[in-house]
Amino acid sequence: MKTVPDPAATAALERYRDQRVTAIHRLDLIARGATLSYEDGTPVDMASEKRRLEEMVADRDRRIAALERDLGLT
């Protein structure tokens, strides 16, 4: 008998994968020299933003791996 995966877990897995891809894309833009500024024109500290995004990717990697194990995908 085949079990049906938990829809909430499957949705979370897809959301984490999407967030990871977005963060990696932003890291690539930073590596290419992109800069950001707040609405008031104040520049964003790109070193801090890079660190934040790297931490996000690592967190999403952990969450994705855990969900894939729970869903029996690995």
Side-chain angles (χ1 to χ4, degrees):
M1 184 169 137
K2 208 173 194 183
T3 61
V4 176
D6 176 18
T10 302
L13 179 61
E14 290 306 312
R15 186 174 57 252
Y16 291 145
R17 285 177 176 164
D18 290 344
Q19 291 171 350
R20 181 182 184 277
V21 168
T22 299
I24 289 171
H25 176 71
R26 289 179 179 174
L27 283 168
D28 181 57
L29 291 174
I30 291 170
R32 294 175 188 231
T35 57
L36 301 171
S37 58
Y38 295 103
E39 290 179 14
D40 66 359
T42 306
V44 172
D45 176 12
M46 297 310 287
S48 295
E49 182 66 4
K50 179 182 176 194
R51 219 171 11 261
R52 184 187 75 79
L53 290 168
E54 289 169 340
E55 291 171 1
M56 178 187 284
V57 170
D59 176 67
R60 295 313 180 262
D61 285 343
R62 285 188 296 274
R63 291 174 186 246
I64 289 167
L67 278 171
E68 286 176 342
R69 277 191 308 274
D70 291 348
L71 293 169
L73 300 175
T74 57

